[in-house]
Amino acid sequence: MSEKTFYITTPIYYPSGNLHIGHTYTTVAADTITRFKKLKGYDTYFLTGTDEHGQKIQKVAEEAGVSPKAYVDGIVAGIKNLWDTMNISYDQFIRTTDPEHEKTIQKIFKKLYDQGDIYKSTYEGMYCTPCESFWTESQLVDGKCPDCGRPVEKASEEAYFFKMSKYADDLLKYIEEHPDFIQPESRKNEMINNFIKPGLQDLCVSRTSFSWGVPVDFDPGHVVYVWIDALPNYISALGYLNDKPDLMARYWPADVHLVGKDIIRFHTIYWPIILMALKLPLPKKVYGHGWILLKGGKMSKSVGNVVDPVVLVDKYGVDALRYHVLREMSYGSDGVYNEDLLVSHINSDLANDLGNLLSRTLAMTEKYFGGVISEDRETGDFDDSLIELAEKTPAVVSDYMDKLDFSRALEEIWKLISRSNKYIDETQPWVLGKDPEKKARLAQVMYNLTECLRIVTVLISSAMPQTAEKMAEQLKCPAEYLTWDSIQKFGRFPEGIEVKRCEALFPRIELNKKEETVKENKKTEKKAENKKAENTEALPEGLITIDDFAKVQLRVAEVVACEPHPDADRLLVLQLMVGQEKRQVVSGIAKYYQPDELVGKTVILVANLKPVNLRGVESNGMILAATKGKKLSLVTVDGIASGGKVS
Ligand code: MSP
């Protein structure tokens, strides 16, 4: 067994319908880091699963005329299929209806009760009789049941409660002493200031108003409620309080719980407190990623704007989708899903940059050397800088991967791909090919490119396993040269191998003519701008030329989502679409606007401002506002679509 272990979990998903592209992000991210750690020699364990109990499931199953278990069985089969389609290599798929999980939950509940952390009392809430559901005041919509819209009334039922407050000080101390425990940093501050410091309420952990749950074995009529059933899945999966606790010793505490920002509170407050009460070590890191938003806000079944990953995989292939979600979601922030962006990633990063690099290199190796690179080689200009980057890249990628910053990790790999494409332009193999005297130089150029492709193959293998396999197949690269160690030094690609070009890695998706025209127009504009800049003359102080002004790129942008900054009352975090490009901007306008009010507004963005980090959140540009005295109004435009220029 390896010394180094790595245990990662995704949340267990509610099987209340099809999973969408947002859930896909979490699972692809967890799969990517697991594969990466495995590549680096870790003994990894990757857990995912489903959270199957509760009143909602019981109700839908009743309506469908089947038992809750039969109902969830069907959906869980679909979820497992989705993970197969997405090439997710989990080690265990836990279901909260697994008998072993249920036994562990009963034992945990009893243990906490026996030691006095759980006590019996009365739960009070707003009750909807037709739905047989309790709601808190804040869950009601216009004072009515959020499910059926009918009036609710105050009611109470007997329930067990967990003493959260008892552990609040210990938790605060732990969080402060373990700076990596909650990531990103901004979420940590939100948890401390908004939830722990104001005081923790005891948590209701059992219910009697429905029966679809783990029964409290010492008090018939009660079932364990939500979080005490769901959160311990991370240890019940390892055999905690079970006959086979061997995985527990090997993998606990978890290295990472990867969760969306909406459930970070449960994972960084309830869960560590449960663990403290059980006297178990806490997970090393809880990472709260942002959400994938659609234009106009969240994806939701009731709004009918859910993006189905299976449809996208059918259309574009699994690795295109994996690449897109990983690249799009920058560290901890929200991302926007937009099919145009996906297509532009496929065409430019995958087909153009990566696909072309492979096919050009292999085609030239076949043309000039019959597919076998000669041993007679001669080094020359441009080699050193390419080699330096190729040798530096693995460590940089590894650092970003460890931070779970997949977007940056991919960006670094793409820098090497772009550098290799540039190397082709610099060395001009087609010119070398015409001169028999330059054969040895040409052989070195082809060797260097093939070697970079080998390194890229290893580096992308965790994010895009299928593509890496296809590349290795075309490069005919033996497995021993596809290891992490083998890419630390440039020049390991074995001699005498015959490469074989096959089909394109990523066929280009045809853009419609209009988009091509917009691109052409942009190029022409750029040329004209450059020309103007050449003509600048000396100016009286304080004045600028039209060319100076033209340096500020102002663009029309549409606000597609907006949220309060997690760590600064004054700031809002806006997601903008500028044509097909997505931008995140942090703006100090929280005093003047509610987040929801901004969605749909068309504002003006300073698009070429250097990015800055504002209290842990990246801001990429600035939006214009007019102010006088205590008033502020955003500058908005009508009738011009986002992406438009302001001049
Ligand atoms: N069952 C609970 C989790 C219990 S874990 C002990 C749950 N399930 S869920 O199915 O509603 O959500 C699962 C995960 O999907 C959450 O981490 C949530 O943040 C994530 N996402 C749901 N919609 C999302 C997006 N649109 N974008 C990114 N992730 C999102 O919560």
Side-chain angles (χ1 to χ4, degrees):
M1 194 199 307
S2 159
E3 295 268 292
K4 304 178 288 185
T5 57
F6 183 76
Y7 175 36
I8 184 166
T9 67
T10 70
I12 42 173
Y13 298 98
Y14 290 130
S16 46
N18 287 345
L19 297 192
H20 56 62
I21 191 171
H23 307 111
T24 306
Y25 170 75
T26 324
T27 318
V28 166
D31 184 60
T32 300
I33 185 67
T34 307
R35 287 175 187 267
F36 187 74
K37 289 286 180 183
K38 204 176 267 174
L39 177 70
K40 291 191 78 177
Y42 282 71
D43 164 15
T44 60
Y45 202 76
F46 170 15
L47 177 74
T48 188
T50 39
D51 186 1
E52 304 182 8
H53 290 126
Q55 193 166 8
K56 229 180 177 169
I57 295 283
Q58 183 172 336
K59 206 173 138 220
V60 208
E62 269 162 22
E63 280 163 13
V66 292
S67 71
K69 181 68 168 57
Y71 176 79
V72 287
D73 280 352
I75 297 184
V76 168
I79 294 177
K80 285 185 171 171
N81 271 341
L82 170 65
W83 298 149
D84 286 347
T85 307
M86 293 303 301
N87 213 349
I88 303 295
S89 55
Y90 55 80
D91 292 284
Q92 189 185 151
F93 189 102
I94 189 165
R95 301 180 55 177
T96 50
T97 52
D98 289 340
E100 295 77 16
H101 172 80
E102 297 196 345
K103 267 185 237 145
T104 298
I105 296 305
Q106 287 180 326
K107 287 185 183 163
I108 289 177
F109 200 94
K110 180 82 172 40
K111 188 172 159 79
L112 296 175
Y113 178 74
D114 287 345
Q115 69 189 41
D117 283 326
I118 284 181
Y119 62 93
K120 203 173 192 175
S121 179
T122 307
Y123 176 79
E124 284 182 351
M126 306 307 290
Y127 192 68
C128 172
T129 313
C131 293
E132 294 176 23
S133 302
F134 269 100
W135 303 103
T136 60
E137 294 276 358
S138 63
Q139 287 172 319
L140 301 179
V141 177
D142 296 333
K144 306 235 169 75
C145 170
D147 261 6
C148 69
R150 280 179 276 210
V152 290
E153 55 195 32
K154 254 206 175 106
S156 60
E157 73 176 43
E158 186 188 78
Y160 285 92
F161 286 81
F162 184 95
K163 285 183 187 165
M164 285 283 141
S165 43
K166 180 175 155 190
Y167 294 93
D169 290 343
D170 288 347
L171 177 63
L172 199 57
K173 188 162 172 269
Y174 185 89
I175 294 175
E176 276 159 3
E177 285 171 1
H178 296 82
D180 278 345
F181 176 54
I182 307 179
Q183 286 294 317
E185 186 80 14
S186 54
R187 305 224 191 277
K188 170 163 90 190
N189 302 334
E190 188 188 352
M191 290 306 119
I192 294 178
N193 299 329
N194 298 358
F195 298 106
I196 307 177
K197 283 197 171 154
L200 297 177
Q201 305 246 327
D202 288 354
L203 182 70
C204 176
V205 290
S206 83
R207 282 301 172 83
T208 54
S209 54
F210 61 91
S211 58
W212 179 235
V214 179
V216 174
D217 50 1
F218 58 89
D219 195 346
H222 283 261
V223 290
V224 178
Y225 183 56
V226 185
W227 295 105
I228 292 264
D229 175 13
L231 290 161
N233 90 85
Y234 303 131
I235 49 176
S236 71
L238 303 182
Y240 178 64
L241 298 184
N242 198 336
D243 311 338
K244 291 179 283 172
D246 52 324
L247 290 176
M248 195 68 193
R250 184 155 150 198
Y251 293 115
W252 191 258
D255 291 270
V256 186
H257 289 320
L258 192 61
V259 299
K261 60 182 180 181
D262 54 321
I263 56 171
I264 193 141
R265 178 156 63 101
F266 309 112
H267 283 80
T268 57
I269 299 178
Y270 298 178
W271 179 224
I273 286 182
I274 296 170
L275 287 166
M276 281 175 171
L278 294 173
K279 303 193 175 45
L280 285 175
L282 269 46
K284 291 178 202 156
K285 186 185 289 191
V286 179
Y287 180 88
H289 64 71
W291 273 47
I292 295 193
L293 303 170
L294 288 185
K295 252 181 138 184
K298 281 183 193 164
M299 235 172 288
S300 114
K301 241 173 69 181
S302 50
V303 180
N305 61 353
V306 168
V307 178
D308 184 349
V310 177
V311 174
L312 294 177
V313 170
D314 272 356
K315 212 162 154 187
Y316 302 115
V318 58
D319 278 358
L321 186 58
R322 287 178 66 115
Y323 177 82
H324 175 67
V325 291
L326 292 173
R327 187 76 196 249
E328 191 41 34
M329 295 278 284
S330 51
Y331 191 72
S333 307
D334 289 338
V336 173
Y337 170 75
N338 170 325
E339 194 161 341
D340 290 345
L341 267 177
L342 168 60
V343 169
S344 114
H345 272 147
I346 296 174
N347 283 347
S348 86
D349 301 9
L350 303 181
N352 244 9
D353 298 346
L354 176 61
N356 275 349
L357 178 64
L358 180 73
S359 65
R360 284 161 96 193
T361 304
L362 298 187
M364 290 191 286
T365 309
E366 284 176 352
K367 179 170 171 192
Y368 299 122
F369 299 98
V372 185
I373 299 165
S374 149
E375 285 172 36
D376 180 16
R377 299 197 296 264
E378 183 186 315
T379 54
D381 287 347
F382 313 110
D383 292 4
D384 286 351
S385 70
L386 178 74
I387 294 170
E388 193 191 325
L389 184 66
E391 287 193 333
K392 199 174 83 182
T393 302
V396 182
V397 169
S398 179
D399 278 352
Y400 282 125
M401 284 283 195
D402 282 342
K403 287 186 196 137
L404 305 173
D405 194 345
F406 303 101
S407 185
R408 289 264 163 81
L410 289 170
E411 204 176 306
E412 293 300 324
I413 304 173
W414 255 255
K415 280 185 192 161
L416 178 59
I417 294 170
S418 301
R419 181 69 195 85
S420 307
N421 276 319
K422 190 168 161 219
Y423 178 76
I424 299 184
D425 299 338
E426 289 165 343
T427 52
Q428 302 189 324
W430 52 92
V431 176
L432 299 174
K434 284 187 190 143
D435 183 350
E437 301 269 291
K438 301 273 170 63
K439 195 89 185 166
R441 176 65 191 133
L442 180 60
Q444 186 66 52
V445 168
M446 297 326 298
Y447 182 87
N448 289 349
L449 289 168
T450 311
E451 179 62 348
C452 284
L453 280 162
R454 178 182 75 91
I455 294 171
V456 167
T457 303
V458 177
L459 290 175
I460 64 163
S461 62
S462 31
M464 306 203 290
Q466 208 180 66
T467 306
E469 245 174 62
K470 285 187 194 165
M471 290 178 64
E473 176 52 28
Q474 300 195 32
L475 292 166
K476 295 278 176 260
C477 191
E480 67 212 87
Y481 301 105
L482 294 171
T483 63
W484 181 252
D485 283 347
S486 80
I487 60 165
Q488 303 308 310
K489 193 97 200 94
F490 194 89
R492 300 278 307 275
F493 196 89
E495 328 263 46
I497 295 246
E498 184 175 346
V499 300
K500 180 97 194 81
R501 188 159 79 113
C502 305
E503 58 185 29
L505 284 181
F506 293 96
R508 249 185 94 80
I509 314 287
E510 278 312 315
L511 284 175
N512 65 34
K513 289 232 159 41
K514 192 175 118 232
E515 285 163 291
E516 295 287 12
T517 325
V518 172
K519 270 194 180 161
E520 273 314 305
N521 287 349
K522 275 197 182 144
K523 271 194 204 154
T524 324
E525 278 164 18
K526 183 97 200 128
K527 273 190 195 153
E529 276 169 14
N530 290 344
K531 219 174 183 76
K532 271 190 208 159
E534 285 167 17
N535 299 331
T536 315
E537 290 162 14
L539 276 176
E541 222 181 274
L543 293 185
I544 59 169
T545 66
I546 185 82
D547 298 331
D548 292 332
F549 176 68
K551 281 186 197 154
V552 183
Q553 286 173 16
L554 298 175
R555 291 279 184 278
V556 177
E558 187 188 339
V559 183
V560 290
C562 180
E563 289 201 318
H565 189 292
D567 196 27
D569 295 343
R570 208 174 55 75
L571 303 176
L572 292 181
V573 183
L574 295 96
Q575 307 297 334
L576 308 176
M577 288 305 295
V578 191
Q580 291 181 14
E581 185 197 348
K582 197 209 94 193
R583 284 293 183 102
Q584 173 172 287
V585 167
V586 179
S587 178
I589 53 174
K591 225 165 75 187
Y592 308 98
Y593 290 96
Q594 290 300 314
D596 286 351
E597 205 190 321
L598 292 174
V599 175
K601 278 198 191 307
T602 312
V603 296
I604 295 183
L605 169 78
V606 181
N608 58 340
L609 208 59
K610 191 173 158 230
V612 286
N613 197 295
L614 294 173
R615 295 274 200 113
V617 180
E618 185 168 290
S619 180
N620 216 324
M622 179 177 92
I623 52 174
L624 297 188
T627 55
K628 183 145 195 232
K630 287 187 175 161
K631 284 194 170 166
L632 178 143
S633 169
L634 282 181
V635 180
T636 57
V637 285
D638 285 331
I640 304 285
S642 88
K645 274 189 77 179
V646 183
S647 48

